Amino acid sequence: MTESTTLAIAHQAFDAWKIGLATGQWDQFLAMLTEDFTLSFPVGKYQGVHQGKAIAEEFFNFVSQIYTEGLQVTLKRTHCVENIVIFELESDGTMFNQTYHNQAAVFFEVRDNKISGYREYLAVFYRM
C-alpha cells in the first residue's frame, strides 16, 4: 500500500472518529475497523491492550458517555510511518460537568484498506 493510500484511509477514519466524538454516532468509524482490531489506551477502565471489534464498539460508546455534550477535536499535525498514521490533536469539551481541554496523539494502523489498530497517548490531561 502506498503512503498516499494509507494517509487517505487514515484521514477518512479520523474524520469518522471526530464525528463519533462530537455526536456519539460511531457507526461510520466502526465500519472501517478490521474484525481483529487492536485498541490500546493509557488510563481508566480500558487501560491496556484489547482486541476485537466488539471491544472497540464498547470503548467508543463509553467515551460518548463521558463526553455527553460531545468532544471537539482540532488537528495539529499528521505523520505517516509505513502503515501507521499519527494524529497530534487538541480536544475540548465538558467532562463530568467541568470544562475539559487536552492534547493527545492518536495512532491509526492501516491494513487492507481498514483500520486494524488504535493507540492513544494523552500528552496533558487537565480540566479548567
Side-chain angles (χ1 to χ4, degrees), residues 26-40:
W26 292 101
D27 292 343
Q28 185 180 0
F29 178 70
L30 293 170
M32 297 188 72
L33 307 183
T34 62
E35 291 301 321
D36 64 344
F37 177 82
T38 300
L39 166 75
S40 178

Side-chain angles (χ1 to χ4, degrees), residues 10-23 25-30 32 108:
H11 274 285
Q12 182 182 2
F14 184 79
D15 289 343
W17 179 77
K18 281 179 37 177
I19 290 168
L21 285 173
T23 67
Q25 301 300 312
W26 292 101
D27 292 343
Q28 185 180 0
F29 178 70
L30 293 170
M32 297 188 72
F108 286 179

Side-chain angles (χ1 to χ4, degrees), residues 60-73:
F60 291 111
N61 285 324
F62 176 75
V63 168
S64 293
Q65 292 171 15
I66 292 173
Y67 304 106
T68 56
E69 297 175 23
L71 193 63
Q72 301 305 310
V73 172

